[in-house]
Amino acid sequence: MIVIITGASHTGKTVLAQKMLEKYKYPYLSIDHLKMGLIRSGNTDLTPEDDKELVGYLWPIVCEMIKTAIENKQNLIIEGCYVPFDWRRDFDEQYLQSIKFICLAMSDEYIDTHFDAIKAHSSDVEARLDDSYCTIEQLKEDNRQVIKGYQDVGEQIVLITDDYEVSIQNLWRNG
């Protein structure tokens, strides 16, 4: 089984991937780690700020890694925000049967009410060296784009509206 965890910034993608690793013993790949490895090694001129270009650059690599894992009957969790909205177009049905897709997003109201907690948990699994870009308005905009983009292509969103832990527990129950 391949589990793709994506969504907006600061929604807990990495924490969820870590919890799934601990529960299921599936290895996980952080697309952010792949991104930084390629950037730091000089294999691309893109920078961490080139989000739109990074999707096009990273996704073909991640996509072929997913196909290889499925062909080898291996489990893998892929976690990160560089998953295109129309990601399914890159897989035949035989591959899609082995992929579980999870997209995390937060409502504007949740962000307004829980912004301090969101920021407090931003380094739960990995240290964020610079989180100064994270503002209420930036988070809202990022979440709105993720929600609209994935919903426009028919994907289900785990929308966090009230209680984060309940939303994640419901995800466990449904999957």
Side-chain angles (χ1 to χ4, degrees):
M1 173 64 64
I2 305 299
V3 181
I4 298 173
I5 303 172
T6 193
S9 179
H10 289 74
T11 54
K13 298 178 297 292
T14 307
V15 170
L16 180 58
Q18 181 67 36
K19 286 181 180 182
M20 292 182 87
L21 169 120
E22 292 167 6
K23 180 175 181 170
Y24 299 112
K25 309 297 186 228
Y26 291 5
Y28 83 84
L29 169 73
S30 165
I31 301 174
D32 278 339
H33 291 173
L34 176 62
K35 168 190 79 177
M36 291 311 298
L38 291 164
I39 289 170
R40 287 180 171 179
S41 66
N43 283 294
T44 181
D45 291 329
L46 295 172
T47 71
E49 288 78 38
D50 295 325
D51 283 338
K52 286 186 174 41
E53 295 86 356
L54 282 164
V55 172
Y57 181 71
L58 295 169
W59 180 247
I61 298 166
V62 172
C63 180
E64 295 307 319
M65 292 172 74
I66 291 170
K67 288 177 184 176
T68 301
I70 292 170
E71 290 161 0
N72 288 320
K73 298 181 179 14
Q74 295 171 307
N75 299 314
L76 182 62
I77 300 164
I78 304 285
E79 170 273 314
C81 61
Y82 300 103
V83 178
F85 300 133
D86 60 349
W87 67 273
R88 289 182 188 270
R89 70 172 159 60
D90 295 316
F91 298 97
D92 294 336
E93 187 57 36
Q94 69 185 32
Y95 292 110
L96 290 172
Q97 292 174 6
S98 299
I99 299 173
K100 177 174 177 58
F101 178 78
I102 299 170
C103 179
L104 302 176
M106 299 178 281
S107 69
D108 284 357
E109 296 78 18
Y110 183 86
I111 295 167
D112 284 334
T113 307
H114 298 90
F115 182 71
D116 290 339
I118 293 166
K119 289 281 283 192
H121 288 285
S122 66
S123 292
D124 280 358
V125 174
E126 59 187 8
R128 292 182 186 263
L129 300 179
D130 179 13
D131 205 22
S132 61
Y133 70 91
C134 181
T135 65
I136 288 177
E137 285 311 313
Q138 180 274 328
L139 273 184
K140 286 181 181 179
E141 180 58 30
D142 187 29
N143 278 270
R144 287 181 202 132
Q145 287 178 7
V146 165
I147 292 166
K148 180 174 180 357
Y150 284 113
Q151 283 183 339
D152 282 355
V153 296
E155 295 291 351
Q156 295 291 314
I157 309 289
V158 176
L159 185 61
I160 301 152
T161 59
D162 183 28
D163 187 310
Y164 186 88
E165 291 303 321
V166 170
S167 297
I168 297 303
Q169 288 170 0
N170 288 338
L171 175 64
W172 289 113
R173 282 188 209 109
N174 297 331

